[in-house]
Amino acid sequence: MAARSREARVVAGAFAVAGDRWTYSGDLRFDDAMPVLAAAAAFPLPATGVVEMSGLGHGDSSALAVLVALQRRAQAEGRRPLSFPGISPAMLALARVYGVESVLVA
């Protein structure tokens, strides 16, 4: 039964294109990270560089990994650095622990 429910799993959160910016809503944990990142690859990065994160429910280090990956994508594509307004103080504290705060805060 566990294998069946794992196959039927739905991504808990997602990025959405909202004009010239992205918004995120939902949770972003280990099991969600790869599907969320893969889905984000289908969108051009936001023209303004803004990725609104106030809709993030529960996030862990995997959420940070997704944001760092998006920032690296922006750099690889020659885009402006992304900004992540609305990121929670708890996520910023976690970013400080992992040494990636500067990647998230422009």
Side-chain angles (χ1 to χ4, degrees):
M1 188 65 146
R4 173 174 271 167
S5 61
R6 189 152 183 80
E7 290 173 15
R9 190 173 189 317
V10 176
V11 173
F15 289 104
V17 176
D20 58 357
R21 60 191 292 152
W22 286 6
T23 60
Y24 189 86
S25 60
D27 294 341
L28 185 46
R29 303 176 192 176
F30 179 78
D31 287 343
D32 309 315
M34 292 307 293
V36 166
L37 196 55
F43 299 124
L45 290 170
T48 60
V50 174
V51 180
E52 173 60 50
M53 295 302 295
S54 61
L56 176 65
H58 177 79
D60 60 17
S61 60
S62 298
L64 291 177
V66 167
L67 299 182
V68 169
L70 290 175
Q71 196 67 277
R72 287 182 179 151
R73 175 181 161 196
Q75 183 179 18
E77 292 180 8
R79 303 280 190 125
R80 71 176 64 200
L82 300 177
S83 65
F84 302 97
I87 195 165
S88 73
M91 289 300 294
L92 286 175
L94 188 59
R96 269 191 296 282
V97 168
Y98 284 102
V100 296
E101 182 182 25
S102 64
V103 175
L104 303 181
V105 180

